Amino acid sequence: MTLSRRLLSAAACAATLALAGGAALAAVNAKTVIETRQANFKSMGKAMKAMNDGLKADTPDMAVIAANAATIRGLAPKINTWFPKGTGPEAGIKTEAKAEIWTDPAGFAAAASRLEPAAAKLETLARAGDVAGARAQVRIVGGTCKGCHDKFKQD
Ligand code: HEC
């Protein structure tokens, strides 16, 4: 093998390694991104359940409702950052995210943007001790979750 051929094949080898490394890194990142967002959604699910259960009581503990509403309010504006390209069904990692998230980014952003104000209103009502108001608003918050899931989440 001539020197230039050897250099060429060494360069090709390095390029192949870099490519493989890049693909592996992307896969690791996709897994982390997907698992982290699922954990965040689980927290929202727990908060929602705590509020629905809590508001069934005759005299709900409104501090608990407010705290759970705050959890959702805090996470809601971040939803848009949890779905970078490459973390959809094509990632080969278990996810319920539908491809529509990436083909209809404006629709997804709109669905996401409805959650924070709805949760913030619920938090305000809970802090004010307005049980009836909170009971009505928790349904609106739940409807906001469902509105996105119906379009963008696999059943
Ligand atoms: C803008 C869209 C959107 C909104 C708003 C939204 N979700 Fe989701 N949710 C998703 C998507 C997409 C997934 C699937 C994520 C995945 O599997 O990668 C998901 C997954 C979940 C999961 C399953 C998590 C798991 O893997 O175990 C729960 C629970 C959940 N969401 C609860 C909620 C609750 C409760 C709300 C409202 C307070 C909410 N979501 C609002 C889009 C949304």
Side-chain angles (χ1 to χ4, degrees):
M1 205 189 268
T2 65
L3 181 61
S4 68
R5 277 193 65 128
R6 224 178 294 157
L7 277 176
L8 254 179
S9 81
C13 187
T16 310
L17 278 176
L19 260 179
L25 191 64
V28 169
N29 285 344
K31 189 169 166 11
T32 307
V33 167
I34 291 170
E35 287 175 358
T36 304
R37 80 174 169 231
Q38 289 171 341
N40 284 328
F41 279 125
K42 273 194 187 112
S43 301
M44 289 207 271
K46 265 177 80 178
M48 208 55 208
K49 184 176 180 340
M51 293 192 294
N52 280 324
D53 290 351
L55 285 166
K56 282 185 192 132
D58 290 337
T59 49
D61 183 341
M62 296 308 275
V64 170
I65 308 303
N68 283 290
T71 296
I72 295 174
R73 187 212 2 99
L75 289 169
K78 299 181 188 146
I79 292 176
N80 269 318
T81 68
W82 297 345
F83 295 88
K85 276 205 175 75
T87 65
E90 77 284 1
I93 294 154
K94 197 170 174 288
T95 173
E96 291 174 334
K98 281 193 183 172
E100 281 80 350
I101 293 169
W102 294 273
T103 56
D104 179 16
F108 186 73
S113 72
R114 290 186 196 109
L115 187 55
E116 187 189 8
K121 187 172 175 194
L122 177 54
E123 186 185 356
T124 302
L125 289 163
R127 290 205 192 287
D130 183 345
V131 176
R135 281 181 179 140
Q137 186 63 23
V138 81
R139 287 208 191 90
I140 291 170
V141 173
T144 310
C145 313
K146 190 175 180 307
C148 183
H149 289 173
D150 285 351
K151 258 178 128 172
F152 299 106
K153 178 180 171 289
Q154 221 93 53
D155 297 327

